[in-house]
Amino acid sequence: MNFNTDLSCILVIFGGTGDLTHRKLLPAIYNLKHSGKLPDNFALVSIGRKDISNDEYREQAYKSIKNSSRFKIIDETLWEDIAKRIYYKKFEFHDSLGYKELNSFLDKLDNSYNTKGNRLFYLAVAPEYFSLINDELYKQGMVKNEASWQRLIIEKPFGRDLSSARKLNKKITEVFGEANTYRIDHYLGKEMIQSLMVLRFANSIFEPLWNSKYIDNIQISSSETVGVENRGGYYENSGALKDMVQNHMLQLLTLTAMEAPVDLSSSSIRDEKVKILRSLEDITPEKIKQDIIRGQYGESMIDNKRILGYRQEDKVSLNSNTETFVALKLHVENYRWAGVPFYIRTGKRMKKKSTEIIIQFKSIPKFLYSKEFDNLNSNLLVIGVQPREGIYLKFNTKKPGTENFIIPVEMDFCQTCQFESNTPEAYERLLFEVMNGDNTLFTSWDEVEYSWKFVDNISSQWGSEKLSLPNYESGSFGPKEADELLLRDNRHWWNL
Ligand code: BG6
């Protein structure tokens, strides 16, 4: 970890009036302040295209924080201290003059807040502006990399495919360098994702079992109840594969499957993650047909409310072929995981919101109990990422009483119950890590590159093949083909 002790900085948010800033970034800043983690030398400048004053922006920021902070009661003294450090600037992202003025404004703020030229540029804008803003920051001499530091935080999607990601990466790293480029995958900021490494490598009981000798299969699911909401335009060109698998799902896979890193430095951890991405089996035409399932939600009635199908959503084509669900069976081809299938599934408009990693252990030999009790449950280790954070182990025990029944029970660590509202939210942690200069929780270029290679391989083979869609009802567990994928292997999804 390359901790930087001087956190003083100005956070400059491009996209300051957008949804992400209001729902996540501003509340994260307040939460950091509340937790005593926001540096004393700090200012925030939001850039947007709306014509509003500093005071109007501060008012909106207050409302957003009130609505979305994990602290339900806003401490007015803390807020006042933040409010006076928040500024709003209006300009178009292609307007060079705007950057010039911004630059001198930031220099002035340095004097008022003692922020020492340190900048954190956050690109919370549509991806078509990433390159443009990066270039302007460079042209106007806003990236100096001398005694002060300038870092770039870039939201997903990082490219539309491998080739566009490469182009973008070249431009950005020419200006900021890999070390100062922070590619967001907000799943890496989730509490349980960080616990995963601790669970695996800080306990002696799990690691010896974490391999093909003891594990039957691993299921990684992330389901959402919401549809595409107002993002139809973006989603039509993305679909679940690029929206969720290329980043979040592959990140969960790498952290679950990787070897222990040499140490806890970001480069050692990233190296191990990349090895997993490089060990993913090839996506052959047979695999595409058999092991990768696509789905799209159709309309339905839930609680007497009509839920639109994907094709009826705003900015979505009536014949759209875009997948809102994907299930994949994958193998990590290395010594540890030989023969162990990883089943990955993600979808919108599913029955419940849940992200879980489930480790299913092998069945016991068929001599003693398995003979007598045919449906003896498998041992499961469940890592609940959200909404319930925690880890539980499901195992069999004898039902108390005279009869000889075996029942499954759970040894449960419910993090949400024990540490409610104390758990920092993903963006809060991520912002803090960037101020600290630690990029462990951000995706390295190598990871992005290998993830895109994998995903491009699938999407190019899918091509424009027409499917019979929609194929699952909103509010369900996805298309029946996803169940059949596991049934063929005599397994089933654990819809816990
Ligand atoms: C985003 C996707 O990256 O992750 C969204 O673009 C998705 O489509 C979201 O809804 C899910 O995040 P979370 O934290 O709610 O699981």
Side-chain angles (χ1 to χ4, degrees), residues 222-230 235 296-302 305-313 324-325 346-353 472-479:
S222 187
S223 57
E224 299 181 82
T225 49
V226 291
V228 286
E229 301 179 295
N230 52 4
Y235 204 83
Q296 187 190 81
Y297 61 84
E299 64 180 320
S300 71
M301 293 292 287
I302 301 180
K305 253 181 69 193
R306 183 168 166 258
I307 304 291
L308 294 183
Y310 176 67
R311 291 179 175 183
Q312 281 91 52
E313 302 272 17
T324 59
F325 173 99
T346 180
K348 292 205 182 276
R349 282 268 183 248
M350 305 271 286
K351 197 170 182 69
K352 58 176 191 170
K353 165 107 181 146
Y472 71 97
E473 261 189 30
S474 292
S476 70
F477 280 112

Side-chain angles (χ1 to χ4, degrees), residues 196-209:
L196 190 53
M197 264 185 64
V198 178
L199 173 82
R200 291 191 53 198
F201 303 125
N203 291 296
S204 59
I205 54 173
F206 298 117
E207 195 47 26
L209 307 180

